Structures are given as structure tokens and as C-alpha cells.
Amino acid sequence: MSADTAQRAVQDFQAVFQRLRDQLHGVIVGHRNALDQILVAFFAGGHVLIEGVPGTGKTLIVRTLGEALNLSFNRIQFTVDLMPADITGTRMVMEENGRREFTFMPGPLFAHVLLADEINRSTPKTQSALLEAMAELQVTVAGTTYRLPPPFFVLATLNPIEMEGTYPLPEAQLDRFFFKVMLGYPDHADLQRIIGSTTGPALPTAAPVFAREEAAERIEALRALVREVLVAPHLEQYAAALVRATLPADSKLAPSQTTLLRPDEQINRYVSFGSSPRGGQALLLGAKVRALLDGRVNITYDDIDQVAIPALNHRLVLNFAAVADGIEPRSLIERVLHAARTLRH
Amino acid sequence: MPAITLGLAEVEERLRALRRRLNFVTAQHSAYLGTSLVLLAAALLIILGLRASASVFRIAAWSSTLVVIGAGAACVVHARRHWLDVRATAHLVDERGQLTDRLATLVDLRLRPRPSRLAPVLVAQTLALGPRWQAQRIAPRRIPRSALLVIASLLALGATTLVERHTSPPVSPAAASPSAALVAYSGPGSVRPSSAGGATTTDSTARQGGSQLRSDLRPGEDSGSGPSPKMDQGGPSDTAVGSTAPKDGSASLTGRLQQAIHHAFGAETPDTKDELASRSGTSSDAGRAQKDHDARPHSGTEMSGNASDTDHEKGRDRSPSGSGAAQREGGSGAPQNFEGSSPSAGEGSSPQGLMQPNAGNLAAGDGGSKRFKLTITSFIHAVEQRDTPPRGTGTRAGSAGPAESESGGGMALNDRQLTDDALRKAEIPPEYEDLVRRVFSSRTGQ
């Protein structure tokens, strides 16, 4: 690929991203930063966990994104009695040509964009049904593996208020989400626009950015372009240092090696388990998307810092002392980022 | 990918040029810092060499040497630490040129080639931002601020020429005894050289003569004589005459350095000034000088054949009459030969023959010593009679001090002496004070 061709590819990525952003902003009031994070995770090839109080637009965001992407979209409302087969699909006895056979009936998981609404309402058994699909883009039912059509994008929503009848997500499942996006309560101006635009005769909708037949192919090409963004070794070192700094000093998981950053005292006090290596992958891939949006083909320190909080805040397992002291993962990650400035050239 | 290869080569070449330039600036800084430190140390040593005593100078010299060596090592370490390799240069240029890590990424791509369709874009973008990382912008050619340190150091070094030299402390002429008067005399202000009657001498030449005296009387250097025990007791010893002869090996180096500074700047050694000043005005010193003088055979007359020793001698008219005068006296014996020197003021200031043990025979009660004493006597008389007009004519028989009376009722001055007011024209250097005082005081005591 020549320099001109590659430059056009970068510009195309920027244009597509901006169009998607515009379509989402046309339907969703506010949440601009959250929407950008969701799009970054989408083009980085990851899945997103959206946490917010009821009525803040979590489901609307996912549905609107599906419409804008013009990809197949399915929604799963997680309930207490939801079974794994209800998600992945099951084999059913079907009669065809006078013969009865077990036929696999794909579940709602088989879609390009999947909305897992209130995922913490179902049992961990059902939640874990998503693990294989999210990590490997495949489902195994009755010993048979079925590939999921790319691109496969899971947006799960989380209601932080209700504790009764909910099941906290296992750390293994949490770790498979690329970003965790927090949706805050809208401010007064946004609230006024929300109630004004959603109570009229016509509801705003999003126009598709891609044609149906080419959407999947183009999105895959854009995702491949993101992975080709260049990373200098000192930035890989920086990302690794950030991930390593989230581990407490007495962690049994991490080998006893000298780290580039001094262990933070609050990390040691409040964190039981730090981020996994997937956190480092999320940092670099998210930084690559940020670089492309800025028209660059190489990442910088600032690109990594911009995606650090959504990439790491759901990977830190806090202890009871943190709950008692009201410590949020975001504050701990900000401390790590502040300390990591010493690593910058 | 020939396009990217060409572009990478161009980026690499520019980066190498920048690296050379940045490292040159680093080397410049270190060199300037080291040079300024050396110059400052030299200025400090010169000032201390002129103003401080030998012991203080010794301490300062070795301390300065250690500081300069340490600072030099620090400059080398600093240069080594700031020496840039290719990666470090790329980071620095990225930062200064606001290239957002493009160069660092390109350098890594060059070192670790890996397939990426976006590499040509990175090269193109980096080259497109060329004005941001031009050599003149990243490392402009200008005189570094550290050069100001060198200039300041040079100015400090030049300012050392304005340092006031050591001068002998002024001695009060209002002394009861001639010896005291003699001891009290010092400095150029005491007696003004006569405008008539020959060449005048300057402080510097007087001091040089004093220096000569000091060096001549250094122990072990006296011809044929060892250091007198009386000398060791505080007479015209090394310290008495301000000799900076080293006591040990390390002191000799600093001592020589200090002497070199003094020679270069034409100053007298501070030890000489201190020692002589400490002895001025004390009777005990005079008494000691008296004993020293008694113990030592006086020559006083062996006017050294070192005619070129001092500037006193230079310019003096070594007329045959002088020689004749030198040979004239000697009432008790054959005329004494002073090896061509005549006891004129300038020639008489040569101390080579003074106090020489082997010249004692010559000095004892002979005409040569009388002739010398005449000179001293006239000197003393001139001290006592300051502000009197210079002697122009006539003999001074009976009008001189005790020394002259000892010589048998006065000795007629020769023509040269009549017109040569030793005191008025020549400043007696402080180095001579002790000798002259001893010579004179020994005669006054008799």
C-alpha cells in the first residue's frame, strides 16, 4: 500500500467514525464521551459493559448503534430464569422430509451486535455462556462449535442500583469486556432535551452509515487498519507499567520482579487483584483508535492515558476496605496515571 | 517498498545530523564549564598567591586542584550522561519539534522492521513536518550561555592584575635610636629619591633587590657557608628574610608556584612582609640582631661581583672612581678589592658580600668596610634628617652618625657619594632592614 492509499484509508476511518458519532448524537442526548468510548471499543474489536442507572439511555445507545452500523442486531433481556441455551441456542428435533433430526437452532447470540440487557440479573451460569462467544467468537453446543459471523460486538448493560435478585459478574467475565463505560445522570439541559425529544410524535432514529451488504466487510477492514497503527517500544513499556502498577505489592499472581513504578500505597491497601494482561491489550488497541482519529498512524502517551480509565476500572477487584472507605477504581487509576508521568521521555 | 526506504533513509540522515549537532552542544557545554572552572581557580590562586601567606596558599592550591579535578570529572560524567544515541535523539527531537513520537516510532521501525501498511504514511507525515525539526530550530547555532561563564572567568582572571600587591608596612620614623630609625624606615614614602644625582630606583627594583637578598641568603646557597645557627635563631634566617624555601616536598611545589606568581606580578612575598613587619619596632629584635651580628663575621664589603644582581646596580655609574673609592679606604692595610664593585648605593646594595663568614677578614676594621659603613651611615643620617636637602658637596666628617665616628673621625666621601644620596634615591628594601640594622647596631654598640 502506498503512502497515498494508506493516508486515504486513515481519512476514511476518520470519516466513518465521525458519521457514526453524528448519528448517535442525533438520537442520544448527552453522553458524548461515553459514546466515543463505545465507538473506540467497537473499532478496536472489543466489547463494552455499560453501567448506569435506569432510564439513562443504555438500551437506546445500543439499538441506535445497531441501526447506524446497519448490522444484525439482537437483544437479550437477562432474567433470573434465563438459561445458557436461551443465549447460545440449542438443538431441537426438527422434522424434515419425513425425517426427524436434531437441528441446531442458533440463539440470539448469533448477531453482529448483541445487547445483553441487565446482564447482572441472570445467574453466573448463564452469564458465562457469553464468555466463549466474547473471547473466541464461537459457540460450542453439544460438542459442535459454531463460528459467530464477524464483526461480533457485545454491549452489556448493568444496573448498579438494585441489589436484590442480581448476581455480580464474575471477574473472568468482567475481564472479557474491553471497556466499562459509565453513564451518568443527565444534567438539566440534557434532561430537558431528552424529555422534549422523546415525547413527541416522531422519535429520532439513526440513519445507516454502511450499506447492508458491505457493512460487515468494511467494518472488518477498518478494524484491521486499527491494528496496523504503529507502536514504539517505549509506549509498550508504558502500557505494561500501567497494568503492572495496578497489582498490589503482595499479590500472589504477579511474579516478584522490580517494577518501573513504585507500588502505590492505596493500591496495596484497597486492591485485591489488579488488571490482567487483557488490560494492556485494551490500552494499546484503544490508543490506536485514538491515534487514527487524530490523523496519526502512531500512538502517544496521551492516547494511552485517554483510554486508561475505561480499560482498567472494571479489572481492579477491590477489597472490603475500599468499600468501607468509599474508594472507587477510577481514583486509583488516576493515581497510577499521575505516578506514570515520570516514565515519559 | 522503495518509497518508504528512501523516505526512511532521508529521515535517518537528518536525524544523524541532528544527533551530531546536539552532542556537539553537549561537548561545548562541558568544555566551557571545565574551562571556566580552571580559569576561576587560576584567578583565585593568583589572588591568594599575592595576598595570602604561604600556608594559606598551599591549602588553597591543593584544594583548588582537587576541586578542579572533581569538577572536570563531573563535566565528563555530565557529558557522558547527556550524550545522545539515535533513540534518545529521536525522543528529544519529537519533544522539541512536537512530532508526537513520530521519529521515535520510525527509529524503532527501522531497527525492528515489521509489516505495516501505515509505515509510508508515518514517513510521509514526518517529512511533511520537516520545518518543525529543522536543525536550526532543534539545535540552533548560537553561543551557549555557558560561554558567558568563560568570559566571566577571563574577566576575573584579568581582574587579578588589579589586585594590590603586598607592600611593606609603613614604619614610624620617630624612633629614638638609629637602629630603631633604621628599622622604622620602610616603604617608598619614607624617603624620597633625590631628583638630582643619578638614577632613581623604584619600589619594584628595591623589592627585587630585596628578593635577591632573600634568595642569596637562603640556607645552603650562601657560598661556602652553612646556615648560621644565629640565623636559625631568628636572625636573617629563611623566615626572617621571607624565604619561601619549602619545608617539605609538597610545599615546595606550592611555594614555587607562589613565587612564580610573585615574580610574574612583581610582588614581594607576603611572608617577607609579615616577618619584617613583626620584627619592626621591637627592641628584642634589635638585641637579637645585635647578637646575630656579633656572631657573624661581617663582610659588608665584599660587594658582590654579581654586578647584574639587582637593578640598584644597574644604572649605577660604575665609574672607575667608584672602584678607586672602593680601593681607597683601607687605612690599616692594602687597598681592598671589591671585585670591581664600588660601594655606591646601587652596587652597595648587593648583599652578596655582606655578612659573609669568609669575608670577615676583609671587613674587620678595614677601609672597605668603612667605606660601606659610610654608606650606611649616610643612610642613617638621612633617616634622621629626613626632609633635609640632599647632600651635594662637602664632606660629612663629623656630621655622620656613630658608624662614621668609628672610622676615625670621618671619612671623606668620594665624588660619587657626594652626589649620590643613597637614601634619597634608593629605597632600602625591607629585606635589607635586618641586615642593615644589625650591621649598624653592632657598630653603635662598640
Side-chain angles (χ1 to χ4, degrees):
Chain A
M1 182 185 286
S2 67
D4 291 338
T5 307
Q7 184 64 40
R8 279 197 294 273
V10 173
Q11 292 169 353
D12 180 53
F13 178 90
Q14 290 177 301
V16 167
F17 196 98
Q18 186 59 42
R19 287 207 299 270
L20 283 171
R21 187 189 273 159
D22 292 341
Q23 293 300 319
L24 289 173
H25 289 166
V27 176
I28 311 299
V29 178
H31 302 310
R32 286 181 178 268
N33 192 34
L35 291 176
D36 278 354
Q37 291 178 7
I38 292 170
L39 289 175
V40 168
F42 174 73
F43 283 104
H47 309 287
V48 177
L49 179 64
I50 305 174
E51 182 174 309
V53 295
T56 51
K58 299 184 295 295
T59 308
L60 183 60
I61 289 173
V62 179
R63 192 165 59 236
T64 305
L65 181 62
E67 292 172 359
L69 291 173
N70 208 5
L71 296 171
S72 60
F73 171 78
N74 278 340
R75 176 183 175 179
I76 302 176
Q77 185 64 49
F78 280 65
T79 56
V80 175
D81 58 350
L82 192 69
M83 301 301 289
D86 297 333
I87 298 174
T88 60
T90 187
R91 287 157 59 91
M92 297 178 65
V93 176
M94 302 294 290
E95 185 174 348
E96 188 172 343
N97 299 328
R99 294 184 60 185
R100 290 182 180 177
E101 295 176 336
F102 278 102
T103 306
F104 175 69
M105 299 300 293
L109 198 62
F110 288 84
H112 290 292
V113 181
L114 177 68
L115 170 58
D117 212 352
E118 295 192 8
I119 192 173
N120 59 333
R121 282 199 176 277
S122 65
T123 60
K125 176 183 175 181
T126 307
Q127 295 168 0
S128 63
L130 282 174
L131 293 180
E132 184 184 9
M134 291 168 65
E136 300 171 33
L137 301 181
Q138 64 185 28
V139 173
T140 303
V141 176
T144 305
T145 300
Y146 302 92
R147 298 287 303 173
L148 294 173
F152 179 64
F153 184 47
V154 175
L155 288 107
T157 63
L158 205 62
N159 185 352
I161 295 179
E162 293 178 275
M163 300 302 293
E164 290 185 7
T166 63
Y167 299 88
L169 286 172
E171 285 76 16
Q173 190 171 3
L174 277 174
D175 196 42
R176 279 168 171 75
F177 285 99
F178 193 84
F179 277 176
K180 182 179 179 183
V181 177
M182 310 296 290
L183 289 185
Y185 201 87
D187 59 16
H188 182 84
D190 288 342
L191 181 61
Q192 182 176 343
R193 283 182 57 199
I194 290 171
I195 59 178
S197 62
T198 57
T199 55
L203 292 176
T205 57
V209 174
F210 304 104
R212 187 85 180 189
E213 56 279 8
E214 66 172 11
E217 185 180 343
R218 284 200 64 189
I219 289 170
E220 283 300 300
L222 292 172
R223 284 183 169 183
L225 187 68
V226 168
R227 287 186 166 264
E228 294 195 54
V229 172
L230 299 163
V231 181
H234 66 280
L235 291 163
E236 293 174 348
Q237 189 182 61
Y238 180 73
L242 286 179
V243 172
R244 193 73 170 79
T246 62
L247 273 65
D250 58 352
S251 172
K252 295 181 178 59
L253 300 178
S256 55
Q257 291 176 353
T258 306
T259 59
L260 294 176
L261 292 174
R262 275 183 61 187
D264 186 81
E265 57 161 332
Q266 290 207 351
I267 293 286
N268 296 336
R269 189 187 305 172
Y270 296 124
V271 176
S272 296
F273 301 99
S275 170
S276 71
R278 286 199 184 96
Q281 295 172 341
L283 286 176
L284 285 187
L285 286 170
K288 288 186 176 187
V289 177
R290 285 288 181 188
L292 279 179
L293 289 177
D294 201 29
R296 288 180 279 108
V297 296
N298 65 292
I299 69 172
T300 64
Y301 290 110
D302 289 338
D303 294 332
I304 296 177
D305 287 354
Q306 283 179 355
V307 300
I309 289 177
L312 298 177
N313 67 350
H314 59 289
R315 304 177 197 272
L316 270 59
V317 179
L318 303 185
N319 54 25
F320 289 112
V323 176
D325 291 346
I327 299 297
E328 295 285 336
R330 182 189 183 95
S331 63
L332 297 176
I333 296 168
E334 287 172 348
R335 288 177 64 94
V336 170
L337 287 174
H338 182 74
R341 295 191 76 86
T342 59
L343 296 179
R344 296 193 178 202
H345 284 88
Chain B
M1 292 188 288
I4 184 176
T5 305
L6 286 174
L8 266 179
E10 182 181 345
V11 169
E12 214 175 24
E13 181 56 37
R14 287 185 64 176
L15 199 59
R16 270 198 231 106
L18 273 171
R19 180 181 171 226
R20 284 194 295 269
R21 203 159 174 174
L22 289 167
N23 284 339
F24 177 70
V25 171
T26 299
Q28 260 189 321
H29 275 294
S30 297
Y32 285 148
L33 282 174
T35 304
S36 61
L37 279 169
V38 170
L39 291 174
L40 282 174
L44 178 66
L45 286 180
I46 288 173
I47 293 172
L48 289 178
L50 294 173
R51 304 285 299 176
S53 64
S55 57
V56 172
F57 180 80
R58 181 167 58 247
I59 295 170
W62 286 114
S63 302
S64 299
T65 303
L66 288 175
V67 168
V68 168
I69 291 173
C75 287
V76 171
V77 169
H78 174 269
R80 186 72 184 90
R81 187 176 300 173
H82 287 80
W83 203 258
L84 299 172
D85 59 6
V86 175
R87 281 187 195 268
T89 305
H91 284 298
L92 184 67
V93 175
D94 276 336
E95 184 180 353
R96 290 188 183 180
Q98 296 177 342
L99 299 178
T100 56
D101 285 322
R102 285 183 172 89
L103 269 178
T105 308
L106 267 180
V107 167
D108 177 65
L109 191 65
R110 185 79 165 155
L111 298 174
R112 291 192 304 165
R114 52 190 182 276
S116 173
R117 294 179 295 163
L118 298 177
V121 179
L122 183 60
V123 174
Q125 286 181 348
T126 306
L127 290 174
L129 294 173
R132 287 194 196 177
W133 57 297
Q134 274 185 343
Q136 189 57 27
R137 175 175 174 161
I138 302 296
R141 290 189 191 278
R142 57 179 176 221
I143 299 176
R145 279 177 287 184
S146 54
L148 297 176
L149 285 176
V150 177
I151 296 172
S153 305
L154 284 172
L155 289 175
L157 191 63
T160 57
T161 57
L162 303 175
V163 172
E164 183 180 352
R165 272 69 159 153
H166 272 297
T167 58
S168 302
V171 179
S172 168
S177 63
S179 61
L182 173 61
V183 170
Y185 171 79
S186 70
S190 300
V191 177
R192 295 297 170 199
S194 171
S195 59
T200 59
T201 59
T202 63
D203 291 351
S204 61
T205 56
R207 291 195 190 93
Q208 287 178 3
S211 301
Q212 181 63 40
L213 169 65
R214 178 181 70 254
S215 62
D216 289 342
L217 289 181
R218 197 170 296 163
E221 294 183 12
D222 290 338
S223 58
S225 68
S228 164
K230 289 299 179 184
M231 286 181 67
D232 295 337
Q233 291 177 7
S237 61
D238 296 337
T239 57
V241 296
S243 169
T244 55
K247 302 274 188 301
D248 51 54
S250 64
S252 66
L253 187 64
T254 56
R256 283 199 292 272
L257 178 62
Q258 191 172 21
Q259 284 186 10
I261 292 172
H262 278 271
H263 281 305
F265 284 79
E268 57 194 31
T269 60
D271 281 348
T272 303
K273 178 186 79 70
D274 294 339
E275 287 293 338
L276 293 175
S278 65
R279 289 195 299 273
S280 65
T282 59
S283 59
S284 60
D285 290 340
R288 186 170 65 243
Q290 171 72 38
K291 285 195 295 186
D292 292 337
H293 179 74
D294 291 339
R296 287 175 58 86
H298 307 290
S299 70
T301 58
E302 184 173 337
M303 298 305 167
S304 169
N306 302 327
S308 61
D309 282 348
T310 65
D311 287 346
H312 285 280
E313 300 177 353
K314 295 176 186 173
R316 288 286 180 260
D317 182 11
R318 303 186 184 186
S319 60
S321 61
S323 302
Q327 295 181 356
R328 187 189 329 151
E329 298 190 356
S332 61
Q336 304 302 311
N337 187 0
F338 297 100
E339 300 180 358
S341 302
S342 63
S344 60
E347 294 165 346
S349 66
S350 171
Q352 193 67 25
L354 292 176
M355 310 302 290
Q356 293 297 319
N358 58 353
N361 293 333
L362 293 175
D366 54 10
S369 63
K370 289 180 186 175
R371 190 169 296 111
F372 181 78
K373 281 183 289 187
L374 278 173
T375 303
I376 293 176
T377 300
S378 66
F379 161 69
I380 297 299
H381 185 67
V383 170
E384 291 175 339
Q385 299 181 0
R386 190 193 294 191
D387 298 331
T388 58
R391 302 155 294 157
T393 55
T395 66
R396 295 173 59 82
S399 63
E404 189 171 29
S405 63
E406 296 172 0
S407 63
M411 179 67 61
L413 299 174
N414 56 34
D415 294 338
R416 288 181 59 196
Q417 284 177 331
L418 284 174
T419 58
D420 183 8
D421 187 335
L423 180 63
R424 301 289 169 94
K425 284 189 291 185
E427 302 172 54
I428 305 299
E431 295 88 341
Y432 289 90
E433 280 188 28
D434 186 62
L435 279 172
V436 171
R437 179 165 35 85
R438 251 182 280 116
V439 168
F440 174 77
S441 60
S442 66
R443 290 303 175 185
T444 56
Q446 294 178 359

